[in-house]
């Protein structure tokens, strides 16, 4: 780059800047070549002037000839983005360590000048952005939006810068006054302590109160402290939310106190159980509270328990109840299998016990049910359809078998006679001697006849007894079938099949070898006849089918 | 089919074969080359006096119907049987021997005579210890169970199964046909093993009814 050219360009650029500054806002609405040229020159100058401040810049100078507004804007953006972030970092650094600002300040007036220039440049940058957007042939709405955004951004940046400036200024100021600086430190410490105490207390200050306190401390309205307080406020609120549950009430204060001084005895000594939440702890805490923060408590109690405090009380009492319930032995209903000895007398009567009933419940007898039953009975009676069990009569086809009684006396007949009788009965049933029951029957009938005779004689005047002709007819209790047939000497077992099932008489009885010539001829003739008959049948079927199909076959057959 | 007669070429002689000899069945006497056959049945001491009492009842059927010579050897205490010349069948001797043996076991004469008359009757003997080892009181009780009160269980079995039973201390003898003996033996064994008489009766009734039904 040529310095003379640079010097000329700078002059023209500064001139153009002034020109831009002087133009009225409405003039920007209409695109003018003159204005755009001026703007381009000015932005070029600014770009090059800013270049040394940003460490990583891709362009040495802003390229405007033949470039689109968008492209120019991109170049500016590329440069400004890292620059802005670095600036922000610087500001934060100054925030934390205001003494450095004094160094910076002391560094030289040039530094101050530089700063001023920086401010100007940054404001101009904002304005340039607006111009670039105007030059583009974009929609008015978009422009407005962009402008608004840019304006906001600009405002934010200005605000930040403003605050930064303020902080820088004030830091510079403070850096000068030692007393105030020390006081600031003390103030911060005090604030921290106060915060800690605030968190530990159960009776929380209201936001207004806390804010008041903060405001009191904030005499000088330091931004740093504002920001600190802001963050503290946030923390406070968060803490309050947590404490709203009431769980961390006791812990916080003690934690604050004891985290720093945590010792072995605190965790593993019986005197103070820090890990468990018990009533004793709460009592301790209460005592501590009362002990340490009397002044603050007095201040708070004056106002009465707040809503929040009431809620917390309720919750605490609930917790105590639940803990107590857990420690006590359970009620017998919750104890699983309980026998009568393990519960109070008649305690099961009070409890509504639930059983599984496996039986169907008895039907409820209503008038309708009885009416329906009675109707059913009436219809059955009228129809005569009773569901009586009919006795199944066994058809007595066989003669009643004689039940042989076990004779327990010594048999009078010898064994030979016994077998003899058996043999005779087998072969010739008719001539078998009478059985014992038959003899008994005979005797009984004789007796009865005698009795009847006597009674008849007594009852009838003109009674003449008939001549009793006793013919010795031996009647044996033998099945009629046995009487009829002549029993064969050798009894063979009957086959399971009936004779007709064994052989029905049809078919070829004689073997091929046994047949005579004539018989063989007859057989063959029979076969042939059968075959012919079947063949004729088949032909008849086919003929019937053929007729349905067509006439050709008929013609052929014909 | 036609059978062709093949001329016998094996025999050069034209003489016809001699006729088959016809032999008459041997008589008891001629058996064993004409020698006499004997049977000897020993008499136990407790059957001595009954033998004396029923001697004629034993002697008559044996001598007259079976045609076997019978005598009592007092010195040897044995009954001896001998075939005669006119003994029709050799089995008569054995039958008579069985008959006498049955009497010696303890059966009555009318019961034992069945052996002479029927072929299929047998005598079976067994001991209580064959069925179950019993000692002392148990044995006595078993014997008591077998016979029953006044012998009624024994008679019940006899009557229902058409057998005759002799309970001689620990020995039991049965006389009857094969199937009947089996039934009687089963009931006796069950009695020995300990089943009550009522159970045995019911079984007997069933079995005898079944036996009667068969024909």
């Amino acid at each position: 780059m040529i310095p003379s050219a640079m010097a000329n360009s700078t002059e023209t650029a500064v001139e153009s800047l002034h020109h831009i500054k002087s133009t009225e806002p409405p003039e920007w609405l209409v695109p003018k070549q003159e204005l755009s040229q001026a703007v381009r020159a000015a932005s070029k100058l600014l770009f090059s002037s800013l270049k040394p401040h940003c460490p990583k810049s891709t362009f040495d100078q802003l390229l405007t000839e033949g470039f689109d507004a968008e492209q120019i804007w991109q170049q500016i953006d590329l440069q400004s983005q890292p620059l802005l972030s670095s600036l922000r970092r610087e500001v934060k650094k100054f925030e934390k360590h205001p003494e450095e600002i004094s160094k910076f300040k002391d560094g030289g007036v040039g530094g101050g000048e530089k700063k001023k220039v920086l401010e100007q440049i940054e404001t101009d940058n904002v304005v340039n952005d607006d111009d670039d957007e105007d030059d583009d042939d974009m929609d008015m709405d978009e422009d407005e939006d962009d402008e608004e955004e840019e304006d906001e951004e600009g405002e934010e940046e200005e605000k930040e810068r403003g605050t930064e400036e303020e902080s820088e200024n004030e830091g510079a100021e403070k850096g000068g006054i030692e007393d105030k600086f020390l006081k600031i430190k003390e103030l911060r410490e005090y604030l921290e302590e106060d915060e800690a105490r605030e968190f530990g207390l159960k009776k929380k200050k209201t936001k207004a109160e806390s804010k008041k306190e903060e405001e009191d401390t904030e005499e000088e309205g330091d931004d740093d402290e504002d920001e600190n307080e802001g963050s503290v406020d946030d923390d406070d609120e968060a803490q309050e939310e947590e404490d709203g549950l009431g769980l961390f009430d006791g812990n916080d204060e003690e934690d604050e106190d004891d985290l720093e001084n945590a010792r072995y005895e605190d965790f593993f000594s019986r005197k103070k159980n820090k890990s468990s939440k018990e009533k004793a702890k709460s009592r301790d805490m209460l005592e501590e509270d009362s002990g340490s923060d009397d002044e603050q408590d007095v201040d708070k109690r004056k106002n009465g328990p707040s809503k929040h405090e009431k809620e917390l009380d309720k919750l605490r009492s609930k917790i105590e109840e639940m803990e107590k319930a857990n420690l006590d032995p359970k009620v017998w209903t919750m104890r699983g299998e309980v026998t009568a000895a393990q519960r109070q007398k008649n305690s099961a009567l009070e409890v509504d016990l639930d059983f599984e009933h496996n039986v169907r419940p008895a039907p409820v007898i209503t008038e309708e049910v009885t009416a329906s039953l009675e109707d059913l009975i009436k219809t059955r009676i009228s129809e005569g359809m009773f569901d009586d069990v009919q006795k199944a009569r066994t058809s007595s086809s066989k003669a009643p078998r004689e039940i042989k009684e076990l004779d327990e006396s010594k048999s009078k007949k010898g064994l030979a006679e016994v077998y003899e009788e058996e043999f005779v009965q087998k072969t010739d049933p008719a001539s078998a001697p009478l059985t014992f029951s038959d003899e008994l029957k005979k005797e009984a009938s004789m007796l009865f006849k005698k009795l009847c005779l006597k009674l008849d004689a007594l009852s009838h005047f003109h009674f003449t007894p008939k001549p009793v002709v006793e013919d010795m007819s031996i009647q044996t209790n033998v099945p009629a079938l046995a009487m009829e047939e002549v029993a064969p000497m050798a009894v063979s077992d009957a086959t399971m099949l009936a004779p007709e099932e064994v052989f029905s008489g049809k078919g070829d009885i004689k073997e091929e070898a046994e047949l005579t010539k004539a018989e063989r001829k007859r057989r063959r003739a029979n076969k042939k006849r059968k075959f012919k008959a079947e063949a004729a049948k088949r032909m008849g079927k086919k003929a019937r089918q053929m007729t349905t199909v067509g006439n050709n076959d008929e013609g052929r057959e014909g | 089919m036609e059978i062709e007669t093949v001329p016998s070429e094996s025999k050069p002689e034209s003489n016809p074969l001699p006729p088959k000899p016809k032999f008459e069945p041997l008589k008891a006497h001629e058996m064993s080359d004409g020698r006499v056959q004997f049977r000897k049945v020993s008499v136990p001491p407790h059957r001595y006096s009954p033998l004396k009492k029923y001697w004629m009842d034993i002697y008559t059927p044996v001598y007259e119907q079976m045609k076997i010579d019978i005598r009592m050897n007092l010195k040897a205490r044995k009954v001896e049987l001998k075939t005669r010349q006119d003994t029709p069948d050799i089995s008569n001797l054995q039958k008579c021997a069985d008959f006498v043996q049955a009497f010696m076991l303890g059966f009555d004469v009318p019961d034992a005579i069945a052996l002479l008359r029927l072929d299929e009757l047998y005598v079976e003997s067994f001991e209580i210890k064959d069925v179950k080892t019993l000692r002392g009181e148990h044995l006595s009780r078993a014997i008591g169970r077998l016979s029953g009160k006044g012998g009624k269980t024994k008679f019940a079995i006899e009557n229902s199964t058409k057998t005759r039973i002799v309970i001689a201390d620990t020995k039991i003898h049965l006389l009857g046909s094969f199937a009947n003996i089996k039934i009687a033996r089963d009931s006796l064994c069950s009695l020995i093993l300990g089943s009550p008489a009522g159970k045995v009766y019911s079984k007997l009734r069933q079995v005898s009814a079944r036996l009667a039904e068969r024909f």
Side-chain angles (χ1 to χ4, degrees), chain A residues 275-524:
Chain A
S275 53
S276 61
K277 298 176 188 177
E278 287 171 9
K279 289 181 201 171
K281 200 185 182 194
S282 60
R283 259 185 263 127
D284 288 339
M285 286 178 330
L286 276 167
E287 286 169 4
E288 284 177 26
D289 287 345
S290 56
S292 58
D293 303 287
D294 277 335
E295 296 171 7
Q296 288 180 344
D297 284 344
V298 166
D299 286 333
K300 285 164 221 158
R301 274 173 203 157
K302 273 186 187 173
N303 299 329
S306 62
K307 250 196 219 173
H308 182 69
E309 285 156 15
K310 282 185 208 159
E311 275 180 53
L312 287 174
D313 281 333
K314 261 194 240 166
L315 278 163
R316 223 177 295 125
S317 59
K318 260 197 208 170
I319 289 164
E320 280 176 26
E321 259 184 59
M322 283 165 67
E323 284 179 2
K324 191 184 174 188
N326 276 342
L327 289 171
D328 285 337
K330 287 186 187 173
V331 187
W332 73 269
T333 49
M334 302 301 285
R335 246 188 275 155
E337 281 190 17
V338 178
T339 60
Q342 291 164 7
R343 56 179 165 81
Q344 284 178 333
K345 192 177 178 181
N346 295 334
S347 56
L349 293 170
E350 293 144 23
V351 178
D352 189 20
L353 299 167
D354 186 22
F355 291 101
E356 258 190 39
H357 299 273
N358 289 326
V359 295
R360 243 186 294 160
V364 178
I365 303 294
T366 57
E367 280 186 35
E368 296 159 358
V369 172
T370 46
S372 66
L373 280 170
E374 280 168 8
D375 286 336
L376 178 69
I377 291 162
K378 282 178 202 166
T379 50
R380 284 291 185 91
I381 291 164
S382 60
E383 284 173 28
M385 192 176 78
F386 306 110
D387 292 332
D388 289 338
V389 180
Q390 305 288 340
K391 186 173 183 181
R393 286 184 172 274
T394 52
S395 56
S396 53
S397 56
K398 297 180 200 171
R401 215 188 302 154
E402 277 184 25
I403 301 163
K404 267 192 186 174
E405 279 202 24
L406 271 172
D407 194 12
E408 283 180 345
S409 62
K410 186 178 170 92
S411 66
K412 286 143 201 133
K413 293 180 261 180
L415 193 64
E417 277 129 43
V418 170
Y419 277 108
E420 189 188 325
E421 277 173 21
E422 209 185 298
F423 179 76
V424 165
Q425 198 166 40
K426 262 191 268 176
T427 52
D428 198 5
S431 63
L434 292 165
T435 53
F436 184 67
S437 59
D438 293 331
E439 283 174 7
L440 278 170
K441 279 179 193 169
K442 222 182 155 190
E443 200 185 328
S445 62
M446 285 295 296
L447 284 167
F448 187 66
K449 270 185 185 168
K450 279 183 189 170
L451 183 66
C452 281
L453 188 74
K454 285 179 187 171
L455 285 170
D456 288 341
L458 285 169
S459 57
H460 292 114
F461 285 122
H462 308 288
F463 171 69
T464 49
K466 281 185 183 175
V468 177
V469 177
E470 299 226 339
D471 44 342
M472 295 282 284
S473 61
I474 301 164
Q475 294 190 356
T476 54
N477 186 23
V478 150
L481 211 66
M483 296 283 278
E484 286 164 10
E485 70 181 16
V486 177
M489 293 294 282
V491 183
S492 66
D493 292 341
T495 55
M496 295 299 283
L497 291 168
E500 52 269 16
E501 285 169 35
V502 175
F503 179 70
S504 61
K506 285 187 181 175
D508 301 330
I509 301 162
K510 283 191 176 179
E511 285 284 305
E512 284 274 319
E514 292 171 350
L515 293 169
T516 58
K517 205 170 185 182
E519 278 176 4
R520 222 174 285 142
K521 280 194 174 178
R522 202 180 293 128
R523 271 203 195 176
R524 189 174 156 72

Side-chain angles (χ1 to χ4, degrees), chain B residues 132-188:
Chain B
K132 191 175 180 182
T133 316
L134 298 163
R135 277 182 283 269
E137 290 251 339
H138 305 294
L139 184 62
S140 323
R141 269 201 294 274
I143 295 163
R145 241 191 339 266
L146 281 171
S147 27
K149 196 167 189 177
K152 61 178 187 160
T153 314
K154 184 176 90 122
F155 292 137
I157 297 171
E158 281 182 5
N159 291 330
S160 57
T161 58
K162 295 196 202 75
T163 54
R164 290 290 175 264
I165 301 168
V166 167
I167 302 175
D169 208 14
T170 54
K171 291 193 182 71
I172 300 159
H173 310 284
L174 296 154
L175 169 68
S177 66
F178 183 72
N180 295 337
I181 278 175
K182 186 163 172 271
I183 297 159
R185 192 179 61 224
D186 287 344
S187 19
L188 286 169

Side-chain angles (χ1 to χ4, degrees), chain A residues 499-556:
Chain A
E500 52 269 16
E501 285 169 35
V502 175
F503 179 70
S504 61
K506 285 187 181 175
D508 301 330
I509 301 162
K510 283 191 176 179
E511 285 284 305
E512 284 274 319
E514 292 171 350
L515 293 169
T516 58
K517 205 170 185 182
E519 278 176 4
R520 222 174 285 142
K521 280 194 174 178
R522 202 180 293 128
R523 271 203 195 176
R524 189 174 156 72
N526 283 336
K527 264 196 210 167
K528 273 187 119 180
R529 235 178 278 135
K530 271 190 205 168
F531 185 72
K532 272 189 183 170
E534 269 194 43
K537 229 183 183 181
R538 250 186 283 127
M539 289 303 289
K541 264 191 189 173
K542 267 192 181 176
R544 257 182 275 132
Q545 282 175 6
M546 294 301 187
T547 50
T548 54
V549 173
N551 295 332
N552 289 343
D553 296 323
E554 273 189 330
R556 234 188 275 150

